[in-house]
Amino acid sequence: MNQNKNVSARRSLLLAALTLPAGACTTSGLFGQNQSQPRYTLSPRGDRLVLWIQKSGKDNMLAPEALALMGITNEGRDIPVRQIAQQDGSDRFVVSLTNIRKIHDLVFMRRQGDVLLLHLSDTKFTRLASVRYPRDGKPSVITDTTFAENDFQQQIAFWFRAMPGR
């Protein structure tokens, strides 16, 4: 009789040990979410843009000064990116994809005369920072948020038009 209690106690302990990890699982996908909606790791346009850059872009290195002002650093070294560039009239547009912070960051650039306008964005196209970089000067953060947001919207509109499979 005493031996049966020891066996059942051991079995209970073993059963508890085996089911304990299941209790740590989350139930966030079980309640309150529509499972028929597609799940994107990015926005749908962000997915397409990242895929386009990964397949068609060219590997390049960006100077660290302007990106450091936007919070992307590589300990003072150049930043590895994959990028696509296109000309539109007198403007040159470039979109770069970097993964230096272990997430996809998009850097949109437009050359207007002797000035580069750069915008850091996440893959949901939220502008995170903007920098002005004159050819013969030092980069500076664009503090005029209205100007920065308008230019950013113009740049992403260009890429939305240029993106295959829109």
Side-chain angles (χ1 to χ4, degrees), residues 1-154:
M1 188 84 152
N2 197 15
Q3 190 174 7
N4 284 342
K5 287 183 182 179
N6 286 342
V7 170
S8 67
R10 279 187 291 204
R11 286 183 183 165
S12 298
L13 183 61
L14 182 60
L15 183 62
L18 292 174
T19 58
L20 188 60
C25 295
T26 63
T27 59
S28 61
L30 298 177
F31 304 106
Q33 289 184 351
N34 184 354
Q35 296 297 324
S36 65
Q37 291 180 342
R39 296 181 65 183
Y40 299 101
T41 56
L42 316 168
S43 66
R45 278 186 173 165
D47 278 335
R48 284 198 316 269
L49 183 59
V50 166
L51 188 62
W52 181 32
I53 295 169
Q54 288 173 335
K55 286 186 173 189
S56 302
K58 295 190 176 8
D59 289 329
N60 207 345
M61 300 295 275
L62 293 180
E65 295 85 10
L67 296 179
L69 289 176
M70 293 190 279
I72 298 177
T73 61
N74 191 16
E75 299 174 7
R77 297 185 306 259
D78 288 354
I79 309 292
V81 297
R82 188 136 179 106
Q83 63 185 197
I84 295 175
Q86 292 189 2
Q87 196 78 21
D88 184 41
S90 62
D91 291 337
R92 179 170 174 78
F93 292 86
V94 179
V95 60
S96 301
L97 176 67
T98 184
N99 196 19
I100 199 88
R101 299 188 304 177
K102 306 298 181 214
I103 58 170
H104 288 307
D105 284 309
L106 296 167
V107 179
F108 295 92
M109 294 176 267
R110 175 166 58 169
R111 185 184 68 214
Q112 288 185 306
D114 286 343
V115 176
L116 277 177
L117 299 172
L118 297 93
H119 304 285
L120 174 63
S121 168
D122 61 15
T123 51
K124 292 182 181 177
F125 303 106
T126 302
R127 185 181 63 84
L128 304 173
S130 298
V131 170
R132 178 180 287 116
Y133 198 173
R135 181 182 300 258
D136 296 325
K138 293 185 178 187
S140 61
V141 174
I142 300 174
T143 57
D144 182 348
T145 57
T146 303
F147 171 80
E149 189 61 34
N150 286 338
D151 187 70
F152 173 68
Q153 292 300 323
Q154 289 174 13

